[in-house]
Amino acid sequence: MWRQLRNRFGLPLTMAIVSLMGIWLIVMVLLPQWQMIDYSFHPSLLPAERGGAKDVWSLTNYATFFHNEIHLAIFFKTIWSSVLVTALTLIVSYPLAYYLAKVATPGQAALCLLLLIVPFWINEILRTFAWYIIFAFRGPLNELLFALGLIDRPIRFLNGDTGVLVGMVYAYILFMVFPLYNAIESLDTNQIRAARDLGAGWGRTHRRIVIPHAKPGIATGCIMTFMLAAGSYAVPALLGSPGSRWFTQIIYNWFFEGGDWNQGAAYAFLLLVLCIVFVTAIMRIFKVGLGDIAK
Amino acid sequence: MDGRVTLNQVAMRFGDFTAIQPTSLEIESGEFFSFLGPSGCGKTTLLNMISGFLTPSEGSVAIGGVDMTRVPVNRRPTAMIFQNLALFPLMSVYRNIEFGLEVRGIDRKQRRDKADELLDLVALSGSGDKPVAELSGGQKQRIAIARALAVEPRVLLLDEPLSALDLKLRQHMRTELKAIQRKTGITFIYITHDQGEALTMSDRVAVMCDGRIQQVADPMTLYRQPRTDFVAGFVGENNRFPGRVAAVDGGMVTLDAGLPAPLRGHADAASPLAPGDEATLYVRPEQWRVGSAGDSSLRFGGVVQAEHFEGAWLTLEIALDQGGTVRAHVPQALESAGIESQLAVGSPCRLDYSPRGALVLPGVERGRANEESVDVAATA
């Protein structure tokens, strides 16, 4: 890569590009990350005690987590709910992406994409608030269901996980639709036609031809959606109930309410490890490499 | 197994554009039938209506006497070979061939037997486990044929499948396709813009232009007895002489085309002519006899404008003394060797044709941009 860059831009410019990238990576990514890991292995101390006798490496912060049943439960619930969000988003996005890539005329596709993107010009918190209003006990959704005669008394959507799941699917749908769309779009339409021509129904055509081809796109979409869901704070904070707390909320509490940054760092590091494990697992399951995902 | 294909007044419209004019056609069971025409003539649209990818705007499509107009593509007894073959790149050769059988719920053992049998037919035994990407162009072609034949279609549809191959391989595959068609007895419907392919393989050819079938005939008739100006110009090369009928004598017509000698040619029995009618005489390049400037037995004089050596023959572009340019082939057999030394560019020559080798069709077609035929009087 170094040689390619040098041939294209010449030595001085290449040095500049590479050192800027290096500085960005080190200062913006590696150092803060290292700082957090370092924090997580130290006890929370008063400024005066730092560097003193009590300032030693310890696993106490991690032990706290593994001994707290509620936090453990919330951690696993976050994993499970994020998987659920990812699966739901995939189910919703796949037909949409297929329609955009292979069925819609260019005009229809452009309109549809516009309709998908326009809401994202609004801040995530405001969009989430919109759902808060829709889901409210005396909100429009309940009114509508009531008017249609589907329910005879309002439902408390914001009580359980429903609100959080719907809100997250909505918040992250673009991160699933775009990789899927790109992957399906690159499939030769004659492949679909050939499968149909050989007698395959729509189900089998998707299972055997479209989905295997779109695998890297599915993997990318799932990874992005899962990471965004697992790391989400606004959606569970606004649409969740005390019973549907997210692990990020616990981290937030350690930092800003408990004032224990070291404890919070340990929890944040656990979330990071979880995400890395998930990405690796998905890559194994879908048999895709990092290169396929970066495409 | 009845592989008859019947098109009954089928038409296809896309908005204001009519891709296929109402067309009726009967393709016999077991026939090798080609649709020949320039790109945009509607031949692929017709194929898509037979395969089921398109539903005709009007009319009906029947296969083996059963109406298929509303039957979806996956329920039709047809199989298609795509222009780009559309092999499934993520599957092995076996999996590709077995795909259609798997869909039909045939068990693994039978599937594999059938696939082996087909690999045998296309002379690729033993390559079943290879990934498709490892095959050469010609091998991919054969696998595509095997995959289509696996579902035992009554009609095999081929959409210019040879266009991506190099010349030698293409010629070889023509022979193979024809052989496979004979062996299997399946109706082959072949789409091409390459007249060489259509003429060498087909039992019958339909020449298409602007969404209309111009003529349906066996290859030899198509070449010798074209029915329309388009066919005369598109299939093979032709020199056009538009003029007026001077006399009709049995099957022969004398045409006044403003040349020093009257032009004679045989008329098409299906389109009778009377003196005074506008008509066009067609002379193929190989019908000309070209001789030296002193050969007074040849009626027309001209000057050689250009020559193209094509191996088996020499193509001369000759400017007639009366105006207009004619393309003539001079065979390169040994006995005629030596004549071309007198036919260098810029030298005068004499030329003539035998009236039996010329055809007269009614009407004068002007303004059709067709590079394959030379309109003599239009440039005069």
Side-chain angles (χ1 to χ4, degrees), chain B residues 87-88 91-100 132 143 147:
Chain B
L87 292 176
F88 304 132
M91 302 182 198
S92 68
V93 167
Y94 270 139
R95 290 240 140 186
N96 264 279
I97 298 176
E98 290 170 13
F99 186 84
V132 168
I143 297 306
R147 184 180 71 174

Side-chain angles (χ1 to χ4, degrees), chain A residues 30-261:
Chain A
L30 291 179
L31 281 182
Q33 209 59 246
W34 171 249
Q35 175 83 354
M36 195 193 76
I37 295 169
D38 187 53
Y39 262 47
S40 75
F41 288 104
H42 284 96
S44 180
L45 297 169
L46 295 169
E49 294 172 318
R50 295 229 176 100
K54 284 191 188 167
D55 198 357
V56 290
W57 289 81
S58 87
L59 289 171
T60 335
N61 294 326
Y62 292 92
T64 315
F65 169 73
F66 288 105
H67 288 124
N68 188 324
E69 271 172 39
I70 294 171
H71 288 178
L72 268 173
I74 292 173
F75 183 74
F76 288 114
K77 200 197 105 81
T78 302
I79 299 176
W80 166 240
S81 300
S82 299
V83 168
L84 207 60
V85 166
T86 308
L88 283 174
T89 313
L90 179 61
I91 291 167
V92 174
S93 302
Y94 181 82
L96 192 61
Y98 183 80
Y99 168 80
L100 285 172
K102 290 293 168 199
V103 183
T105 63
Q108 291 169 334
L111 180 70
C112 194
L113 282 176
L114 192 72
L115 290 177
L116 275 173
I117 293 169
V118 163
F120 282 76
W121 293 350
I122 298 163
N123 181 284
E124 185 189 337
I125 294 177
L126 293 180
R127 269 183 289 131
T128 309
F129 256 121
W131 279 105
Y132 183 80
I133 295 165
I134 292 170
F135 279 139
F137 190 66
R138 300 223 173 272
L141 184 61
N142 271 324
E143 296 262 337
L144 181 75
L145 292 176
F146 193 76
L148 290 172
L150 293 172
I151 52 172
D152 48 13
R153 90 185 94 144
I155 299 169
R156 289 198 183 275
F157 292 107
L158 297 170
N159 236 1
D161 290 332
T162 324
V164 182
L165 290 182
V166 173
M168 283 203 187
V169 169
Y170 174 73
Y172 306 130
I173 192 161
L174 280 195
F175 297 93
M176 188 66 96
V177 167
F178 279 119
L180 278 182
Y181 169 78
N182 282 335
I184 297 173
E185 218 263 327
S186 69
L187 174 67
D188 171 19
T189 306
N190 273 353
Q191 300 261 323
I192 301 170
R193 286 160 52 105
R196 298 278 294 148
D197 187 58
L198 291 167
W202 279 117
R204 192 185 299 263
T205 305
H206 280 280
R207 216 163 57 238
R208 295 295 309 277
I209 308 296
V210 187
I211 293 175
H213 176 87
K215 236 166 49 174
I218 295 173
T220 311
C222 285
I223 287 169
M224 298 240 244
T225 309
F226 178 86
M227 301 224 286
L228 286 167
S232 173
Y233 178 77
V235 178
L238 289 173
L239 298 178
S241 60
S244 64
R245 282 218 291 176
W246 224 247
F247 196 62
T248 45
Q249 291 172 288
I250 314 278
I251 299 174
Y252 181 91
N253 286 348
W254 277 126
F255 273 96
F256 297 102
E257 279 161 31
D260 190 341
W261 283 33

Side-chain angles (χ1 to χ4, degrees), chain B residues 188-211:
Chain B
F188 272 40
I189 300 180
Y190 195 95
I191 294 286
T192 184
H193 63 265
D194 180 333
Q195 47 175 302
E197 285 178 11
L199 297 184
T200 49
M201 291 189 285
S202 317
D203 296 319
R204 284 194 302 157
V205 179
V207 180
M208 290 192 69
C209 173
D210 296 337

Side-chain angles (χ1 to χ4, degrees), chain A residues 251-282:
Chain A
I251 299 174
Y252 181 91
N253 286 348
W254 277 126
F255 273 96
F256 297 102
E257 279 161 31
D260 190 341
W261 283 33
N262 303 71
Q263 190 63 63
Y267 276 41
F269 185 59
L270 283 168
L271 189 63
L272 177 70
V273 170
L274 164 74
C275 285
I276 291 170
V277 168
F278 181 84
V279 170
T280 321
I282 288 283

